[in-house]
Amino acid sequence: MKKLSFIFLLFIGFAFSAKAQHDPSDQILSANWDVIGSVDFKTVKDTEMYAIFGPEIKKYANKPFELEGYIVPIKDGMKQTKFMLSTLPINQCFFCGKNGIPVMVMVELTEPIKFTYQTVKIKGNLKLSTANSMDVPPISLTAAKAL
């Protein structure tokens, strides 16, 4: 869980860093990613950060939701069932979050898929967590399937 927290915080932390350049042609843009990007965060102290979900994303909570993005593994291996989904490819993760890119989404698949550097389309139930975002990703797609 500590590794997951570190990875998640790494990407959230970049949201507060200085601006940097990335290859804009690689970035996935969609209305659904805009919904994900509408989430704000409130920092309570160095070890506590909480997601603030507005009405736009709340209307999709616990319902099927589809996203296209890039796999960012949280475990070694070519087959992945639990990973982060990003709007930028892993080779640009240094820049994740620096240019207003939405927070990443945790994906939990029902069946593994092979890791790829190409985009994947995922559909699952959108779950929103009000737990400390330092410990638990605030947004996830559960019982998900690759399309």
Side-chain angles (χ1 to χ4, degrees), residues 69-73 77-80 83-86 88-91 113-122 146:
Y70 296 93
I71 295 173
V72 178
M78 287 305 293
K79 296 232 175 176
Q80 301 287 315
F83 55 88
M84 301 302 285
L85 194 67
S86 172
L88 283 176
I90 194 168
N91 67 344
I113 61 170
K114 188 175 179 183
F115 173 80
T116 178
Y117 289 103
Q118 305 302 313
T119 62
V120 294
K121 288 184 182 178
I122 305 292

Side-chain angles (χ1 to χ4, degrees), residues 85-120:
L85 194 67
S86 172
T87 61
L88 283 176
I90 194 168
N91 67 344
Q92 293 189 42
C93 276
F94 175 77
F95 302 112
C96 289
K98 288 192 175 184
N99 293 321
I101 298 161
V103 68
M104 288 200 282
V105 172
M106 171 65 75
V107 173
E108 297 177 24
L109 294 174
T110 56
E111 295 184 24
I113 61 170
K114 188 175 179 183
F115 173 80
T116 178
Y117 289 103
Q118 305 302 313
T119 62
V120 294

Side-chain angles (χ1 to χ4, degrees), residues 36 40 50 54 57 60 65 85 105 109 111 113 144:
I36 300 299
D40 287 321
Y50 297 93
I57 195 167
Y60 295 103
F65 196 80
L85 194 67
V105 172
L109 294 174
E111 295 184 24
I113 61 170

Side-chain angles (χ1 to χ4, degrees), residues 9-96:
L9 291 177
L10 177 69
F11 295 112
I12 286 181
F14 283 136
F16 303 106
S17 300
K19 298 267 186 225
Q21 296 297 312
H22 62 82
D23 185 350
S25 67
D26 286 338
Q27 187 173 352
I28 301 297
L29 301 172
S30 72
N32 281 0
W33 275 113
D34 289 345
V35 169
I36 300 299
S38 71
V39 176
D40 287 321
F41 291 90
K42 178 181 178 183
T43 302
V44 176
K45 51 186 171 181
D46 289 345
T47 58
E48 289 184 39
M49 180 185 297
Y50 297 93
I52 301 168
F53 301 111
E56 178 66 17
I57 195 167
K58 283 182 179 180
K59 70 182 178 185
Y60 295 103
N62 302 312
K63 294 180 182 172
F65 196 80
E66 187 176 313
L67 285 171
E68 178 179 7
Y70 296 93
I71 295 173
V72 178
I74 57 175
K75 288 187 176 182
D76 293 336
M78 287 305 293
K79 296 232 175 176
Q80 301 287 315
T81 56
K82 190 173 187 179
F83 55 88
M84 301 302 285
L85 194 67
S86 172
T87 61
L88 283 176
I90 194 168
N91 67 344
Q92 293 189 42
C93 276
F94 175 77
F95 302 112
C96 289

Side-chain angles (χ1 to χ4, degrees), residues 5 8-9 12 41 48-51 129 131-138:
S5 295
F8 183 70
L9 291 177
I12 286 181
F41 291 90
E48 289 184 39
M49 180 185 297
Y50 297 93
S129 173
N132 183 353
S133 296
M134 300 281 198
D135 299 325
V136 178

